[in-house]
């Protein structure tokens, strides 16, 4: 229970910080499909996963074969913003134990 609680607050704090940034501090925002097309054309990045941040937003991770990566957040109003990007992405195999 304590583990769930701490992750919940970390996610909420990260979302709040991202949404509270002034417009000029954000790297790039726009229409979701336009941003996805740009990531594909410029970096050959494809979506490898996504997750829901409560009822507030969706985070998607896009990765290229060359190791570049981008995190795209889309809020409930439909606004998408690039919140992080980098290179050196490494895929790992996550093993989930049935318990």
């Amino acid at each position: 229970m304590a583990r769930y609680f701490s992750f919940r607050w970390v996610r909420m704090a990260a979302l709040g910080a991202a949404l509270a940034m002034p417009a000029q501090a954000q790297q790039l925002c726009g229409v979701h499909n336009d941003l996805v097309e740009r990531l594909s054309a410029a970096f050959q990045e494809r979506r490898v996963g996504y997750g829901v941040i409560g009822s507030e937003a969706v985070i998607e991770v896009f990765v290229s074969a060359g190791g570049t990566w981008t995190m795209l957040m889309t809020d409930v109003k439909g606004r998408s913003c690039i919140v992080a990007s980098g290179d050196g992405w490494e895929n790992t195999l996550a093993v989930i134990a049935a318990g």
Side-chain angles (χ1 to χ4, degrees), residues 1-97:
M1 175 105 168
R3 183 176 185 167
Y4 171 76
F5 180 78
S6 65
F7 284 129
R8 180 175 172 227
W9 282 106
V10 168
R11 287 191 311 227
M12 289 174 59
L15 175 63
L19 292 176
M21 285 185 203
Q24 65 270 21
Q26 294 178 351
Q27 292 181 351
L28 181 65
C29 295
V31 176
H32 181 268
N33 289 343
D34 293 345
L35 292 177
V36 171
E37 287 176 15
R38 288 182 191 175
L39 292 174
S40 178
F43 304 104
Q44 295 74 48
E45 292 182 356
R46 304 284 185 260
R47 186 173 74 174
V48 297
Y50 64 92
V52 177
I53 304 174
S55 61
E56 302 299 320
V58 172
I59 288 283
E60 298 171 280
V61 178
F62 294 81
V63 177
S64 74
T68 63
W69 59 269
T70 304
M71 292 183 76
L72 182 67
M73 181 178 72
T74 304
D75 65 18
V76 294
K77 295 179 181 177
R79 183 178 67 163
S80 294
C81 296
I82 294 174
V83 295
S85 62
D87 53 58
W89 182 266
E90 293 289 331
N91 287 323
T92 59
L93 177 62
V95 177
I96 300 172

